[in-house]
Amino acid sequence: MGRVVEAVLPARMGTAFRWLMASSWVGNLGDGVALAAGPLLVAARTQDPLLVALGALLQQLPWLLFGLHAGVLADRVDRRALVVAVDLARAGVLVVLSAALLTTDVGLVPVLAALFVLGTAEVFADTAAGTLLPMVVDRADLGVGNARLTAGTLTMNQLAGPAVGGVLFLAGAAWPFLAQAVLVALGAVLIGRMRVPRPERPAQRARIGRDIAEGLRWTWGNAAVRTLTLTIVLFNVTYGAAWSVLVLYADQRLGLGAAGFGLLTTVGALGGIVGTASYDWLERHVGMATLMRVGLTIETLVHAALALTTTPWVAAAVLFVFGAHAFIWGTTSRTVRMRAVPGPLQGRVGSLYAMGVFGGILLGQAVGGVVARIWGVTGPFWFAFAGSAVLLALVWRELGHIGHADEAAVATA
């Protein structure tokens, strides 16, 4: 048992990392519960597809509205205390929502408002939490740390959480949100147990506009982080376009129903678990440049493979490979960014990166809908293949520079 614990949570990474990982896994379980319960709650009050989509949008929109402000705040205050305070406030909102669902007939507008408030709180909590890992582990261990946190996102947020949320919702609309409140509060308690070094704070008085501009200037001035940020934005446009019609693709192209679509997403998550489990070995034996280049090549080919096949098991195998790539790439890119960014700027640069992730996906989803309406359900996959191929050719050389720079940073750490 001790060997297993040491393999998963190496002692060299310290107690603070163990508290951070425990909090992340617990919080991701709560967020996974909400992934199923939120849409179900909206759909129970309206069958209008536009309003159902609005419910999902209101949970993601805060990243675009408040992401940069969350980054400024994370770089100005005690980050650990900020996570604790926001998560406790989020738990309070969830308790109020649960009580209202138990005692009254809550209409659609209050539900949408609650989802927006919860999404906004999550932006501030996640931005601050994302700055804690570089504060408690060595630079050389950032890859391992990110892989462990990513494993929690996969198992808790994408596999276990939605299933639990769906079952709890069948028992009563309030129960998944009450469960999420307990899990979020527990995550806050676990974060509160961490001991982190006091970060360096900017000497100037806080000014939101100036602080945001400083983060933007630094990101644009650092070649590695600039390339990573542009890459994640543009590749998420192509990804968002293809995946926006995945449910229709599963039905119309593969002949699968709703259960089949769920199976495809589960297979992708299982691939992600394999990818994160192998990350330690890959980081030791494969260079960062190779990881990034191979990963984006796989992503490009995945779009073409899905556009060509009509066989469910082939599509499942492709999505398994894509799932492994997606989480290896995510772990690698976050690690490179964390190693490159100075501590006082982690919040602002990290929030800008997150905005690129969500903004790219939202734009891609809009593009995918238009392309599918004109050229059919495989059109977005061909668009994604062509766009990814062009982007990969443009960033190929720069990915090599990023990878070699990161390896040099680890060697000298």
Side-chain angles (χ1 to χ4, degrees):
M1 185 65 181
R3 291 184 178 180
V4 174
V5 173
E6 175 62 23
V8 176
L9 297 167
R12 70 175 186 277
M13 297 178 71
T15 304
F17 171 70
R18 295 186 176 188
W19 289 121
L20 176 62
M21 179 174 159
S23 173
S24 175
W25 280 51
V26 168
N28 269 299
L29 179 58
D31 292 343
V33 167
L35 279 180
L40 287 171
L41 184 62
V42 174
R45 281 149 180 78
T46 179
Q47 293 299 303
D48 187 333
L50 182 61
L51 292 176
V52 173
L54 179 61
L57 176 64
L58 287 175
Q59 292 179 280
Q60 305 298 331
L61 186 61
W63 277 106
L64 301 181
L65 297 178
F66 307 117
L68 294 177
H69 298 81
V72 169
L73 189 61
D75 287 341
R76 283 286 179 178
V77 303
D78 184 326
R79 292 162 173 168
R80 181 184 60 85
L82 177 60
V83 177
V84 171
V86 174
D87 274 350
L88 289 177
R90 188 155 59 119
V93 173
L94 287 163
V95 168
V96 171
L97 175 61
S98 302
L101 291 171
L102 284 170
T103 58
T104 63
D105 184 15
V106 181
L108 178 63
V109 173
V111 167
L112 293 177
L115 293 177
F116 180 76
V117 170
L118 291 169
T120 300
E122 188 174 350
V123 169
F124 285 87
D126 286 357
T127 299
T131 67
L132 295 175
L133 182 64
M135 298 175 68
V136 298
V137 304
D138 293 336
R139 289 165 62 88
D141 285 326
L142 284 171
V144 175
N146 275 314
R148 300 297 183 271
L149 297 177
T150 299
T153 302
L154 277 165
T155 56
M156 299 292 111
N157 189 285
Q158 298 193 14
L159 288 178
V164 172
V167 171
L168 288 175
F169 192 85
L170 291 176
W175 297 116
F177 299 100
L178 189 59
Q180 187 188 11
V182 173
L183 291 167
V184 168
L186 178 57
V189 171
L190 293 170
I191 283 284
R193 299 294 301 273
M194 291 179 66
R195 294 293 177 264
V196 299
R198 186 178 297 276
E200 178 185 348
R201 299 298 179 200
Q204 308 97 323
R205 185 178 179 181
R207 291 183 180 175
I208 292 178
R210 183 192 61 201
D211 287 357
I212 289 175
E214 183 181 7
L216 292 171
R217 283 196 303 269
W218 190 94
T219 301
W220 189 255
N222 184 280
V225 177
R226 179 179 69 239
T227 300
L228 275 175
T229 303
L230 292 174
T231 299
I232 200 68
V233 171
L234 296 174
F235 269 88
N236 270 338
V237 172
T238 57
Y239 162 80
W243 259 244
S244 68
V245 297
L246 187 62
V247 64
L248 298 177
Y249 169 86
D251 182 36
Q252 298 176 15
R253 183 76 171 171
L254 302 179
L256 302 173
F261 168 68
L263 179 62
L264 289 179
T265 58
T266 300
V267 167
L270 291 174
I273 292 175
V274 172
T276 55
S278 64
Y279 191 82
D280 295 13
W281 185 92
L282 289 171
E283 189 178 38
R284 290 195 304 271
H285 295 88
V286 182
M288 287 289 193
T290 302
L291 276 179
M292 289 188 285
R293 284 171 168 168
V294 170
L296 293 182
T297 300
I298 289 173
E299 180 165 339
T300 301
L301 296 176
V302 158
H303 297 312
L306 291 175
L308 290 168
T309 190
T310 58
T311 307
W313 71 263
V314 172
V318 169
L319 287 171
F320 182 89
V321 173
F322 178 82
H325 143 72
F327 286 91
I328 290 172
W329 164 261
T331 300
T332 301
S333 61
R334 282 194 300 273
T335 299
V336 171
R337 173 174 55 80
M338 286 180 176
R339 286 172 179 159
V341 180
L345 286 165
Q346 286 280 352
R348 281 166 284 177
V349 177
S351 66
L352 182 63
Y353 189 85
M355 287 179 64
V357 171
F358 288 99
I361 291 174
L362 288 174
L363 178 58
Q365 288 172 338
V367 171
V370 173
V371 171
R373 176 168 289 184
I374 298 174
W375 286 290
V377 74
T378 59
F381 293 94
W382 285 119
F383 165 81
F385 167 68
S388 297
V390 171
L391 292 172
L392 182 58
L394 292 174
V395 302
W396 186 269
R397 180 175 296 180
E398 292 301 318
L399 290 175
H401 297 328
I402 295 169
H404 294 317
D406 183 76
E407 290 154 12
V410 173
T412 57

